[in-house]
Amino acid sequence: QVQLVESGGGLVQAGGSLRLSCTASGSIFRINDMAWHRQAPGKQRELVATITRSGSTDYEDAVKGRFTISRDNAKNTVYLQMNSLKPEDTAVYYCNAAVIAISGFWGSYWGQGTQVTVSS
């Protein structure tokens, strides 16, 4: 079993910053790609940022230059530093990880989500 637990969400004023964290635990052999997604009310879940095990990153256009994804492989943790936040960034943020378990099973796992609310 693999679990992902997010933290760091909250309420912030426009222009402010938040740092999200997501830690994976369980019978993990290796974590490959990790990512952050978000889902705003009434909208579909969208991909925000991805990071490979070696640290290559990619971002949705709307967050480029404002958000930074990073990871600590030793801690099985991925981060999302969010700066210059805008009201349209308000959403539930989910982390996702491609995990190889000790058993050899490949799986894509999701966290429970953390709410980010940006007030204008």
Side-chain angles (χ1 to χ4, degrees):
Q1 284 286 65
V2 175
Q3 300 83 35
L4 271 62
V5 177
E6 297 117 337
S7 62
L11 173 64
V12 64
Q13 288 188 332
S17 299
L18 283 174
R19 189 190 194 211
L20 306 183
S21 300
C22 172
T23 298
S25 63
S27 302
I28 298 169
F29 172 71
R30 178 187 173 101
I31 301 177
N32 290 332
D33 291 358
M34 303 184 83
W36 287 96
H37 299 245
R38 65 185 179 186
Q39 187 167 18
K43 295 187 177 181
Q44 290 188 330
R45 190 174 297 188
E46 62 179 2
L47 178 62
V48 175
T50 62
I51 185 166
T52 67
R53 183 171 180 82
S54 61
S56 296
T57 60
D58 197 13
Y59 297 91
E60 177 202 14
D61 286 346
V63 307
K64 284 181 180 177
R66 300 188 297 122
F67 290 10
T68 302
I69 188 171
S70 61
R71 64 189 287 173
D72 184 333
N73 290 332
K75 295 181 179 180
N76 289 336
T77 298
V78 62
Y79 306 97
L80 187 68
Q81 178 66 44
M82 304 185 293
N83 299 328
S84 302
L85 282 161
K86 304 175 181 180
E88 51 264 43
D89 294 318
T90 295
V92 178
Y93 283 71
Y94 298 90
C95 67
N96 171 253
V99 178
I100 305 173
I102 292 174
S103 64
F105 175 76
W106 278 79
S108 179
Y109 295 88
W110 292 86
Q112 81 286 356
T114 186
Q115 177 70 47
V116 171
T117 302
V118 184
S119 63
S120 57

